[in-house]
Amino acid sequence: MSKKKVSLKDIAQKAGVSTALVSYVLNGKEKESRVGQEIAASIKKIAEELNYQPNYVAKSLRSGKTHTIGLIIADISNPFFANIARIVEDEARNHGFTVIIGSSDENADKSWNLLNVLIHRQVDGFIIVSSENSEKQIYHLKDKHIPFVLLDRHFSEIQTDFVTVNNYKASYDAGTHLIQHGYQSIGMIAYKSQLFHMKERIRGYLHSLKENDISFYDNWLQEVRFNYIKKEVKLAIDAMRSSEQPVDAIIFATYGLAVNGLKYINALHLKVPTDLAIVSFGQAEGFDLYYCPITYLRQPIEDLGKTAVELLVKKLKNPEQGMQQILMEAKLMIRDSSRRKN
Amino acid sequence: MSKKKVSLKDIAQKAGVSTALVSYVLNGKEKESRVGQEIAASIKKIAEELNYQPNYVAKSLRSGKTHTIGLIIADISNPFFANIARIVEDEARNHGFTVIIGSSDENADKSWNLLNVLIHRQVDGFIIVSSENSEKQIYHLKDKHIPFVLLDRHFSEIQTDFVTVNNYKASYDAGTHLIQHGYQSIGMIAYKSQLFHMKERIRGYLHSLKENDISFYDNWLQEVRFNYIKKEVKLAIDAMRSSEQPVDAIIFATYGLAVNGLKYINALHLKVPTDLAIVSFGQAEGFDLYYCPITYLRQPIEDLGKTAVELLVKKLKNPEQGMQQILMEAKLMIRDSSRRKN
DNA sequence: ATTTTTTGTTTAAACGATTAAGCTTACATT
DNA sequence: AATGTAAGCTTAATCGTTTAAACAAAAAAT
């Protein structure tokens, strides 16, 4: 089976007309281009019979549009990003776009590489979860007038479209919640990072303490390096516990930090929440399977992803589209790991 | 900034030669096409200066190759597939290919849709984790001579290239392990499915019982429907426990089943492994965070993904490439949830 | 001195679609 | 009868590459 691919030319030949007519008809331009009724009908019929499928590569070359979106995330094997990817993909497909995903591993060089590969592949636009020190890349896109939307993170000093959660508020809520449930010595483990969203998470945490007149001890805030997460999370927990004022609760700034932290807490035979209460950013089955379900900040992943796609698609259809910056709220899902202290 | 895109023509003009020469030089065909030394050098220099980047769309149109692979999986938000996707992506990029991912949700119709969208996008080939009842799709690809490799699952009645684990052996190992650790009444929760890999998992389990002269009770094997997983896993566990011969151990045939099962087991306040030992297929942090780390079958995800890409790339480069069918071994990672019964 | 070969380069078609502009008819208007 | 206009269709350029074939000039062989 499987004869040659059917092209416009084949249809034109069979119908005894030029390819122009076929193109007009199959693109629904019969009216504007005054194609005869019968001829139009017969073209449609033949196209149907031959099971014509347009060649998108040819279309793309002509139009300069590939109907493809590049999605750059930190790591597709991280559940948060996997979920984002899923939403973005589905939503993009609904709009007739195809998605190409790349994982940057939070590494600016990899991200730069990906960006360029995808630009050369002529993607129409990008949805990006930025890595640290990747400001240059953003400027580059602006320079080249390639449309993009930042997702989950943005740079406070660069004006761009973005869709993120209000990390400050989320963190503040987490801290306040713990305080209201009777915890007085609350630590936070975050990444050592210049990224705005991380700074905001820290700021929110600190603010919740201050507002409740809890005096802060330096040891309570631990910033670990992404590439040494396993070791440094342990050190961080050790430091917090041996602090002048040992913590009775910890807020983890990401899912990955929480996974590592909880493993160590298990190893130390600490009981959650009696020895240590927990609140974490991120979400995945891990938190459900834990013997004491973990209180977490649920980010509106579906909304985030859909909105990012919508913004981008709008920009692609109308490059004059004004800038949009969207902050969404994370919801604190209260479970056992932050049970009221007795 | 951002003047117009630089094309071969621009370079040709600046160098005062035809585009053909430029093409030859930039594709390293200077020798075969006997391009003059100086002219070649100057072309290279100019290309460099103008920062020329070839237009892949045009290249694709000409060559009929897009250097793009379609990856169809069940669901990118499932950690197993997310990991696969990650590996496939990286490996493909190493070979100069780009990956487009689609999630089928184990649904043959969606999968069929995806397949067609990607075919029209002119992907060069596919890596597919097949859904149930998608045999037709496989025949379709064979018919059209579109290269593909099946991953993780295959159809015993269709001759295709594939890369999967030896599910029979994995399951058999799990059963044997439990028996050797003193468990006598071992149940399995699997999906109700015609898919070969699922049948094999069941077959391996049954065989381990038989070989150890353990008589099997019908209630021990529970097959639940994918779309009713939450409810039916509960029913399954209830049925096993109220069996004539209640189970003291359960093998879960997938990670998703295990997550649901463990949640219910927690809700029932059953202690693992004293009340119920557990072994599961799949892997993710969930199993580490569980108060009693779960014994699981670790599939060689990295190898699976890489090998699938390698096979496909080989086929793309040489369509005459003979069929390859690769079975890999899953490794039983023994942890606390199957601790020796005392 | 003529022919052949080699070397270096250009021409032009092709991939598959889109679309502005041009070309015929037929019909309506004066 | 002459002119204008609308309808219906074709031509040909274009997007950016690749590459077989043609060509011209120089070098080698006769």
Side-chain angles (χ1 to χ4, degrees), chain A residues 32-50:
Chain A
E32 303 98 294
S33 312
R34 326 168 284 222
V35 181
Q37 301 258 316
E38 325 82 82
I39 227 45
S42 101
I43 286 175
K44 281 183 190 161
K45 184 149 156 281
I46 294 176
E48 180 82 8
E49 280 170 15
L50 297 185

Side-chain angles (χ1 to χ4, degrees), chain A residues 48-317:
Chain A
E48 180 82 8
E49 280 170 15
L50 297 185
N51 186 30
Y52 169 72
Q53 302 294 158
N55 181 323
Y56 280 96
V57 173
K59 267 178 142 74
S60 293
L61 178 57
R62 183 81 225 280
S63 67
K65 300 270 151 255
T66 52
H67 282 256
T68 299
I69 293 175
L71 173 63
I72 297 187
I73 58 188
D75 178 10
I76 184 80
S77 57
N78 169 319
F80 175 70
F81 296 114
N83 277 295
I84 289 271
R86 178 61 204 269
I87 306 291
V88 167
E89 233 186 81
D90 287 352
E91 187 66 9
R93 209 181 308 285
N94 288 342
H95 284 90
F97 282 81
T98 290
V99 178
I100 299 180
I101 305 175
S103 298
S104 70
D105 289 320
E106 304 279 6
N107 175 327
D109 288 342
K110 277 199 195 174
S111 164
W112 176 245
N113 250 314
L114 280 172
L115 205 67
N116 279 304
V117 169
L118 296 185
I119 290 176
H120 299 159
R121 292 265 177 172
Q122 323 284 134
V123 302
D124 291 343
F126 285 95
I127 294 179
I128 303 178
V129 178
S130 292
S131 314
E132 204 168 355
N133 303 319
S134 66
E135 289 89 340
K136 191 184 132 212
Q137 300 169 30
I138 304 304
Y139 285 122
H140 184 240
L141 291 177
K142 288 186 99 173
D143 235 43
K144 289 205 149 200
H145 298 115
I146 299 176
F148 68 96
V149 173
L150 298 189
L151 181 55
D152 184 49
R153 311 172 180 177
H154 73 281
F155 298 97
S156 57
E157 69 278 20
I158 314 182
Q159 283 303 313
T160 64
D161 292 70
F162 66 74
V163 184
T164 73
V165 300
N166 186 335
N167 285 291
Y168 165 76
K169 169 139 196 317
S171 222
Y172 173 83
D173 287 349
T176 305
H177 161 72
L178 283 168
I179 293 167
Q180 285 173 351
H181 275 57
Y183 298 92
Q184 288 287 326
S185 309
I186 302 169
M188 169 174 252
I189 299 187
Y191 280 123
K192 183 180 231 66
S193 166
Q194 293 306 314
L195 284 168
F196 188 62
H197 76 296
M198 199 50 74
K199 299 234 169 226
E200 285 288 277
R201 289 182 186 181
I202 292 172
R203 190 167 69 90
Y205 152 72
L206 290 175
H207 191 224
S208 72
L209 294 184
K210 183 170 244 171
E211 204 175 78
N212 289 278
D213 297 319
I214 295 180
S215 54
F216 168 75
Y217 291 78
D218 274 353
N219 267 331
W220 287 3
L221 174 61
Q222 296 284 335
E223 298 179 76
V224 309
R225 285 172 298 172
F226 183 75
N227 292 312
Y228 303 91
I229 177 168
K230 198 162 177 177
K231 188 198 248 169
E232 296 197 1
V233 163
K234 288 184 185 174
L235 293 176
I237 292 178
D238 289 343
M240 284 175 159
R241 298 217 310 136
S242 60
S243 163
E244 187 182 346
Q245 179 70 41
V247 300
D248 57 1
I250 297 181
I251 300 173
F252 288 103
T254 76
Y255 178 71
L257 290 167
V259 169
N260 278 276
L262 290 173
K263 280 192 204 172
Y264 187 52
I265 288 169
N266 280 347
L268 292 175
H269 299 294
L270 293 174
K271 276 290 157 211
V272 175
T274 41
D275 296 329
L276 210 48
I278 302 288
V279 174
S280 179
F281 275 78
Q283 64 225 64
E285 327 80 32
F287 289 165
D288 292 338
L289 288 186
Y290 202 65
Y291 62 89
C292 159
I294 302 293
T295 295
Y296 66 92
L297 287 153
R298 176 214 285 274
Q299 287 165 276
I301 294 190
E302 185 148 345
D303 251 16
L304 285 170
K306 275 200 182 178
T307 308
V309 173
E310 276 165 19
L311 278 197
L312 183 58
V313 169
K314 249 195 253 168
K315 287 197 90 171
L316 292 175
K317 299 219 162 126

